Amino acid sequence: MSHPKLANIFLKNEDRVNWHDKALWFVREKRDAAVNKVKGWEELREVAASIKANVLSNLDNYLLQFEENAIKNGIKVHWAKNATEHNEIVLKILQENGAKHLVKSKSMLTEECGLNQYLENSGIEVIDTDLGERIVQLANEPPSHIVLPAIHKRKEEIDALFVEKWGIKGGNGNAEYLTREARKHLREKFLIADAAITGVNFAIAENGGFVVCTNEGNADMGTHLANIHIACMGIEKIIPKMEHLGVFLRLLARSATGQPITTYSSHFFKPRPGTQLHVVIVDNGRSQLLGRPEFRKSLHCIRCGACLNTCPVFRKTGGYSYESVIPGPIGSILGPGIDMEKYNSLPFASTLCGSCTDVCPVKIDIHSQLYKWRQIISPKKGTSIKKLAARVTGKIFGNPILFRLAATIGTGFLRFLPGSLTKNLTAWGKGRELPKVPKQSFRDWYIKNRKE
Amino acid sequence: MSKNEIIASIRKNKPSLIELELPDYQQFREDIDTVSLFKRQVNEAGGRVIECNRGDIEKILSDNYQNASEVYSLIDEFKPLDNRSADDEPSEYKNLDLVVLNGKFGVAENGAIWVPDSNLSQRIIPFITRNLVLVVIQESLVANMHDAYAEIGNFSEGFGVFIAGPSKTADIEQSLVIGAQGALSLTVLLVSD
């Protein structure tokens, strides 16, 4: 379904829409407060963008350097062209070690690859351990936001979900009670897990290490208890040097939630003695995107979610209206790059106000890229009604007699047609009032008054 | 062989080399009181700071955690009689009530404390414990993350973590709850030698 159709479903519950809108705007305000405290924030963004630009122009060498150093540190490195290969590699590691119980911390890449479903089909128990992700997993839903996966759910719904799935007593939606119950439940899962999967926020070429950021401590609870750690990363997660983490860690959490840093920023270099550490490097279309100069910069993305929180369209239509793994403005430029047919409505889910571009910590020109996608998609979509309307309008506007005739008929109709009909003719009419139709056209007024 | 294909595809598609500029981190330097900013940031992250002298550490810990059931201390100043052993399997620490560790240094701008492998006996302990105490020397504080990585320098250990406050989540309706999957509380003993 297209974005407008899915948005209509979300918009049916006005209370939820208003709550969603406000909750995300609150996060945006926290971001602003945090950002304003940093001296040289704009320069920091510049530095980050220039590091990312260098990375993309030398990506092959950085990846090879990363691999060489990681192997020296005892990390096993795997390469996956696409989602299928990625899933097969992970399953093979698990099967070779007889692993049955897997705990996962947040990774948008594994969502992109559909890993959970794939592993479950092979009899592996997969437990998402980020609270928001666990909530949507229990509800059998995908995340609706890349940083706040369950932002579309109200506390009473989460309460009911935990009661149903875990048989606990209800807590009237008390967040602290529900979080404690989830802690107990997840503890049990951490303690029996054979393997842990994490994403990668940053991978360091010069020393083969990588960094995982969480607030809940779930990545660390998983990886330091299980005997196998598999970290999955897109090829664009590389940074050249360890010192660059200083730049990116200053930007990431402030942009994401308004915190100066996440609670835990865990740096992995070597496996814990007696255990295995694997890194799976995944392309899945990214190297193709690298070859499109106008959209290349979208590979700068560090998945902070700031563009989602600030976007008036995202706030009012929710993550599910996008139908892509990454929703919101950044998802609307990544989506069509993956499947232009499927995601052809996403670049239009924007007012092009540019707020996304303003908040992006790595200076992706998001709204310009949305506009560029529209220029590619519109001709292919063959928007025949719009074209026809434009042609007819052009004819009418180009001919004074036709124009006067049409204006007279039009204003006449508007005066008598019921509002319910005119308002529903176009999407723009919904929720808006037409101005009052004047008794007289300007031309008639001018002719009359000039004569007097 | 996917590796070769991926590398070939990148080589075909990447733009011509854009040089890596050396960032001027001096431009981010601020005239700040690192001690007071660090204290404020630890508090904002949900932790608490107790300023003390090295000689007070044992008393502070005994007073504050007299009911702690399972204690594991890796600092010289505090060695409880029933201290846990360092050779346990990670999951055997599941009932830890209190862990006391030395932090390598603290970062004023965000209240984060660097804890590398060499300050840990097992990577799991600062996460699995209910209460975490980190001892940080006041003179070790750095202003920001640029200084922090300069301090870390050429890192050759297997693991290291910045810890800022106790674990937390806001995944239920954006209401902040302290104590998610990691430690439920963090106390920083800020020691002036």
Side-chain angles (χ1 to χ4, degrees):
Chain A
M1 263 199 274
S2 65
H3 181 275
K5 283 190 182 135
L6 290 161
N8 266 332
I9 299 170
F10 186 74
L11 286 166
K12 282 198 178 111
N13 187 339
E14 200 176 320
D15 281 348
R16 187 189 299 265
V17 173
N18 290 338
W19 184 85
H20 189 265
D21 180 22
K22 277 201 197 113
L24 290 175
W25 185 250
F26 175 62
V27 182
R28 158 76 210 256
E29 286 178 324
K30 283 200 292 181
R31 174 248 171 226
D32 289 351
V35 162
N36 290 338
K37 283 185 199 147
V38 176
K39 186 191 168 203
W41 176 262
E42 290 306 316
E43 288 75 15
L44 197 60
R45 291 173 75 210
E46 289 285 353
V47 170
S50 76
I51 296 169
K52 284 285 184 178
N54 163 263
V55 165
L56 295 184
S57 75
N58 195 30
L59 189 54
D60 46 340
N61 295 320
Y62 286 138
L63 283 168
L64 294 172
Q65 192 190 357
F66 171 80
E67 181 190 40
E68 193 188 326
N69 289 319
I71 290 171
K72 269 190 223 155
N73 287 338
I75 297 175
K76 293 199 175 88
V77 180
H78 312 259
W79 300 73
K81 261 188 310 199
N82 51 37
T84 311
E85 280 192 8
H86 164 264
N87 294 348
E88 286 168 0
I89 289 166
V90 173
L91 180 64
K92 194 163 167 244
I93 297 168
L94 297 176
Q95 285 178 337
E96 280 175 359
N97 291 283
K100 287 272 170 218
H101 301 283
L102 177 69
V103 286
K104 265 183 76 201
S105 67
K106 196 152 31 166
S107 151
M108 292 316 295
L109 174 65
T110 60
E111 293 286 339
E112 173 186 325
C113 294
L115 179 69
N116 285 18
Q117 190 65 55
Y118 179 85
L119 295 180
E120 279 162 6
N121 290 346
S122 304
I124 310 268
E125 180 193 51
V126 184
I127 303 290
D128 279 319
T129 58
D130 172 80
L131 177 57
E133 289 231 313
R134 187 68 186 126
I135 291 166
V136 294
Q137 187 184 36
L138 287 171
N140 206 14
E141 292 170 4
S144 75
H145 186 295
I146 59 177
V147 174
L148 321 162
I151 187 71
H152 61 291
K153 280 212 175 315
R154 304 306 304 269
K155 55 185 193 291
E156 295 78 15
E157 297 171 292
I158 296 165
D159 197 308
L161 187 67
F162 285 6
V163 170
E164 181 203 328
K165 299 287 177 181
W166 297 339
I168 60 164
K169 272 199 296 193
N172 294 319
N174 180 301
E176 187 160 350
Y177 168 77
L178 294 172
T179 302
R180 289 288 176 273
E181 288 300 318
R183 179 184 163 95
K184 280 189 234 163
H185 159 84
L186 287 169
R187 278 273 154 147
E188 288 169 21
K189 300 297 180 186
F190 285 128
L191 288 166
I192 61 157
D194 319 295
I197 287 193
T198 67
V200 168
N201 288 93
F202 307 98
I204 311 147
E206 72 172 353
N207 60 19
F210 62 92
V211 175
V212 181
C213 304
T214 76
N215 275 324
E216 297 182 10
N218 54 317
D220 290 285
M221 284 297 290
T223 55
H224 308 318
L225 283 170
N227 284 331
I228 303 161
H229 174 185
I230 307 170
C232 303
M233 61 176 268
I235 55 172
E236 81 283 15
K237 293 291 178 193
I238 287 276
I239 56 171
K241 292 163 175 276
M242 179 103 158
E243 66 171 67
H244 296 146
L245 287 170
V247 174
F248 290 103
L249 290 186
R250 296 189 82 195
L251 290 166
L252 178 63
R254 287 185 174 95
S255 299
T257 59
Q259 297 169 262
I261 192 166
T262 50
T263 302
Y264 304 107
S265 308
S266 302
H267 299 52
F268 296 86
F269 299 92
K270 295 171 191 166
R272 199 169 82 232
T275 67
Q276 298 174 31
L277 179 49
H278 299 262
V279 172
V280 188
I281 301 171
V282 186
D283 183 343
N284 206 32
R286 287 164 175 75
S287 64
Q288 293 300 315
L289 189 55
L290 189 62
R292 306 187 71 162
E294 68 274 42
F295 301 117
R296 179 180 293 144
K297 249 187 163 179
S298 57
L299 290 167
H300 285 196
C301 181
I302 56 173
R303 305 288 190 264
C304 70
C307 62
L308 281 65
N309 303 337
T310 200
C311 177
V313 177
F314 181 86
R315 281 187 277 117
K316 298 231 172 194
T317 59
Y320 292 156
S321 300
Y322 293 78
E323 243 186 346
S324 54
V325 173
I326 312 259
I330 182 68
S332 299
I333 56 180
L334 293 173
I338 297 162
D339 185 341
M340 197 165 82
E341 195 55 41
K342 186 175 175 196
Y343 299 117
N344 68 16
S345 70
L346 295 190
F348 298 87
S350 164
T351 62
L352 299 185
C353 69
S355 185
C356 45
T357 304
D358 289 343
V359 298
C360 178
V362 284
K363 302 203 85 160
I364 305 172
D365 52 338
I366 305 176
H367 76 295
S368 307
Q369 292 195 28
L370 286 166
Y371 178 75
K372 285 173 197 160
W373 271 119
R374 291 184 185 185
Q375 306 314 303
I376 294 171
I377 290 166
S378 286
K380 292 200 173 150
K381 256 170 108 180
T383 45
S384 52
I385 294 173
K386 272 188 199 161
K387 261 190 200 152
L388 185 68
R391 211 175 300 142
V392 171
T393 313
K395 279 265 188 309
I396 293 171
F397 280 23
N399 182 324
I401 297 167
L402 270 179
F403 177 76
R404 281 204 291 281
L405 184 68
T408 314
I409 295 171
T411 48
F413 267 117
L414 280 179
R415 212 167 281 139
F416 301 111
L417 281 177
S420 60
L421 182 60
T422 52
K423 273 194 208 170
N424 290 323
L425 272 176
T426 77
W428 281 100
K430 286 171 197 160
R432 289 185 173 85
E433 291 296 335
L434 278 172
K436 258 195 171 167
V437 182
K439 292 197 181 79
Q440 197 177 28
S441 74
F442 172 74
R443 191 175 181 276
D444 292 344
W445 176 89
Y446 183 76
I447 291 167
K448 193 179 154 206
N449 284 278
R450 198 177 56 169
K451 274 178 187 163
E452 274 171 7
Chain B
M1 283 311 91
S2 293
K3 172 181 164 183
N4 294 343
E5 283 180 51
I6 294 168
I7 294 296
S9 174
I10 293 170
R11 287 200 172 133
K12 196 179 93 197
N13 290 317
K14 70 175 182 176
S16 51
L17 185 68
I18 298 163
E19 287 299 331
L20 182 64
E21 293 163 35
L22 291 175
D24 168 24
Y25 299 125
Q26 290 304 316
Q27 64 184 316
F28 303 117
R29 190 157 294 285
E30 282 172 272
D31 188 20
I32 47 160
D33 174 355
T34 48
V35 175
S36 67
L37 181 58
F38 176 75
K39 278 163 32 188
R40 195 161 73 236
Q41 292 300 348
V42 172
N43 285 324
E44 275 193 27
R48 68 169 168 165
V49 178
I50 301 174
E51 286 180 273
C52 62
N53 295 314
R54 198 165 283 281
D56 305 332
I57 292 177
E58 181 160 25
K59 183 171 180 350
I60 291 171
L61 291 175
S62 311
D63 288 353
N64 277 274
Y65 297 97
Q66 45 187 310
N67 296 323
S69 51
E70 250 185 55
V71 182
Y72 190 21
S73 169
L74 282 168
I75 65 167
D76 294 334
E77 293 81 0
F78 180 65
K79 288 285 176 209
L81 288 172
D82 52 353
N83 208 12
R84 289 293 304 257
S85 108
D87 321 312
D88 288 336
E89 281 294 306
S91 62
E92 288 166 39
Y93 292 106
K94 66 182 175 188
N95 294 321
L96 271 183
D97 207 17
L98 173 66
V99 162
V100 187
L101 301 170
N102 281 312
K104 205 90 181 168
F105 64 87
V107 187
E109 71 158 323
N110 53 25
I113 295 158
W114 178 244
V115 184
D117 254 351
S118 50
N119 287 24
L120 300 163
S121 60
Q122 271 281 0
R123 292 177 189 175
I124 191 66
I125 58 172
F127 307 98
I128 202 167
T129 181
R130 272 187 284 277
N131 302 292
L132 176 63
V133 173
L134 293 174
V135 179
V136 177
I137 297 168
Q138 195 172 302
E139 286 72 31
S140 79
L141 297 183
V142 300
N144 60 32
M145 292 301 284
H146 309 300
D147 293 347
Y149 282 101
E151 186 69 29
I152 293 170
N154 243 338
F155 193 67
S156 56
E157 300 186 36
F159 175 77
V161 58
F162 280 109
I163 299 178
S167 71
K168 56 185 84 68
T169 182
D171 273 345
I172 298 175
E173 280 203 3
Q174 280 302 291
S175 14
L176 178 70
V177 178
I178 301 284
Q181 321 324 333
L184 299 171
S185 83
L186 171 73
T187 300
V188 179
L189 300 187
L190 193 57
V191 175
S192 42
D193 276 333

